[in-house]
Amino acid sequence: MTKNGETDLWALAHAERAALAQDLSGLTTEQWQHATLCREWNVEQVLAHLTAAASIGQLRWIRSMLGARFRPDVHNLRRLGEHLGVNPAETLNNFRAIIASTTAPTADTAAYLGEVVVHAQDIRRPLGLVGTPSIDALTQVAKFFASRNFAVPSKSNATGLRLQADDGPFASGEGALVTGPTLALVMALAGRAAYLDDLHGPGGQVLRSRLDKTGN
């Protein structure tokens, strides 16, 4: 990271958005409707959600949450609907239009990088797409997830565990060891149980039990 850390984080987010757009450019109609790790949302809906997240600033976010009576699921579904196209091609074009956006409801840029990283894998893994986020992006998200609960209970999931990436510099915490690829650590902290089998160490079962309790 340079002195201008926020710019670096946005550059990573922009690169991950561009990579995802490229990965999705050749999907079939059936693939666009495929289930994702977001459970109730298909591929096209997850992409529209990412577009929505990059299209709303603080004041509009506050108004939207007030209108949703502070129910995040209602807020997310309404904003998702605004960015769904009449067909998947339009939805993808909508997403391409925000690739370079730095719009966000708060200044927690690492969280919005995390949103792109996690939701990209929510799409890629079920479709069998081989693209993965850069280790630089993953490391920044892993650090943020281990330090804060923001949209996902990632810090709670990490508490009392020693997290150690085996493919990059990320390491955090004290306690029972959980080791594996940085991507798997990020996704597990975000509550994606599908990645637990990629992790190893005595703390793995602790992490699994935490995700089981939250229904992930």
Side-chain angles (χ1 to χ4, degrees):
M1 302 289 286
T2 67
K3 292 180 181 179
N4 194 348
E6 289 298 300
T7 300
D8 286 351
L9 289 171
W10 278 123
L12 291 170
H14 298 160
E16 295 307 321
R17 289 172 184 162
L20 178 60
Q22 181 60 38
D23 284 350
L24 301 184
S25 62
L27 294 191
T28 66
T29 300
E30 291 75 18
Q31 286 176 312
W32 278 108
Q33 305 310 313
H34 199 286
T36 70
L37 298 185
C38 283
R39 294 175 292 187
E40 71 271 20
W41 290 350
N42 63 29
V43 170
E44 187 177 7
Q45 289 168 324
V46 172
L47 194 68
H49 169 69
L50 283 174
T51 304
S55 305
I56 189 168
Q58 185 177 46
L59 290 177
R60 188 165 177 237
W61 181 85
I62 291 171
R63 289 196 297 268
S64 178
M65 287 296 289
L66 284 169
R69 298 183 181 180
F70 294 98
R71 292 171 293 174
D73 289 348
V74 174
H75 158 80
N76 285 332
L77 193 58
R78 287 176 176 174
R79 302 291 74 79
L80 178 161
E82 291 177 351
H83 297 279
L84 273 175
V86 296
N87 53 45
E90 185 174 323
T91 300
L92 181 57
N93 283 337
N94 291 343
F95 178 71
R96 286 184 174 130
I98 58 83
I99 283 175
S101 171
T102 57
T103 299
T106 71
D108 303 285
T109 308
Y112 304 111
L113 172 60
E115 182 146 10
V116 179
V117 164
V118 170
H119 284 319
Q121 295 309 119
D122 286 340
I123 290 171
R124 287 182 178 125
R125 182 140 176 157
L127 288 177
L129 300 177
V130 297
T132 57
S134 73
I135 196 67
D136 289 341
L138 288 168
T139 299
Q140 294 303 320
V141 175
K143 289 177 181 177
F144 181 82
F145 278 5
S147 66
R148 283 187 62 186
N149 289 333
F150 189 105
V152 293
S154 52
K155 182 181 179 180
S156 298
N157 288 334
T159 299
L161 298 174
R162 172 66 177 171
L163 307 175
Q164 177 70 61
D166 62 14
D167 62 348
F170 173 68
S172 178
E174 298 293 337
L177 178 66
V178 183
T179 186
T182 317
L183 175 60
L185 290 168
V186 164
M187 296 300 288
L189 292 180
R192 273 47 173 188
Y195 282 81
L196 288 171
D197 288 343
D198 298 335
L199 300 174
H200 309 283
Q205 188 54 48
V206 176
L207 187 53
R208 185 180 296 275
S209 68
R210 289 175 180 172
L211 267 59
D212 286 344
K213 288 178 182 178
T214 57
N216 291 293

